[in-house]
């Protein structure tokens, strides 16, 4: 639990300061793999094939209050409306990794 809290704080600090260390880069690389396998079916390139406005672009994340690690991990873990819960499919660490990846991609315009 303490490791996750430290990882969360470091990740938030690095995103705020627009700086990435090799450890965080490895985390978002793993997050990319998880996203590709678990999320891209509905959210390819940060879009949303079910509800277009509820995409993963920076403006939508900000508009719906989903622009933090906590918000993204919460919705990935528990689901909401059409979004399925992944708490039984992914570990808490994997959910953190995919959340970090989503935030990183939203900041760079899903490149």
């Amino acid at each position: 639990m303490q490791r996750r809290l430290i990882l969360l704080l470091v990740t938030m600090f690095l995103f705020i300061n627009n700086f990435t260390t090799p450890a965080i880069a490895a985390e978002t690389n793993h997050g990319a793999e998880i996203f590709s396998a678990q999320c891209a079916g509905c959210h390819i390139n940060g879009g949303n094939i079910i509800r277009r406005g509820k995409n993963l672009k920076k403006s939508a994340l900000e508009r719906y209050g989903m622009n933090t690690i906590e918000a993204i991990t919460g919705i990935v873990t528990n689901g909401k409306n059409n979004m399925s819960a992944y708490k039984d499919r992914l570990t808490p660490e994997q959910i953190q990794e995919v959340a970090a990846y989503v935030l990183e991609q939203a900041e760079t315009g899903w490149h």
Side-chain angles (χ1 to χ4, degrees):
M1 180 68 176
Q2 185 176 9
R3 180 182 176 277
R4 278 191 247 147
L5 178 60
I6 291 169
L7 179 61
L8 173 63
L9 292 173
V10 169
T11 303
M12 288 172 48
F13 172 80
L14 294 174
F15 278 115
I16 289 168
N17 289 294
N18 198 23
F19 177 77
T20 304
T21 66
I24 299 302
E27 179 179 311
T28 57
N29 284 341
H30 193 235
E33 293 171 13
I34 297 165
F35 185 90
S36 179
Q38 300 291 328
C39 312
C42 292
H43 293 289
I44 191 155
N45 296 322
N48 185 330
I49 66 167
I50 307 295
R51 294 186 67 192
R52 288 215 235 156
K54 299 278 183 143
N55 58 58
L56 304 178
K57 309 291 170 111
K58 184 176 181 178
S59 62
L61 293 178
E62 289 172 350
R63 180 173 45 250
Y64 296 111
M66 290 290 144
N67 58 337
T68 65
I69 293 276
E70 296 87 2
I72 295 171
T73 57
I75 200 165
V76 173
T77 301
N78 301 308
K80 184 177 178 182
N81 299 327
N82 294 333
M83 170 76 185
S84 298
Y86 282 78
K87 63 185 169 195
D88 294 332
R89 298 180 223 173
L90 299 173
T91 67
E93 291 80 16
Q94 290 172 316
I95 292 171
Q96 288 281 340
E97 291 167 345
V98 81
Y101 172 75
V102 166
L103 282 178
E104 176 186 75
Q105 291 302 301
E107 285 296 323
T108 62
W110 286 90
H111 296 288

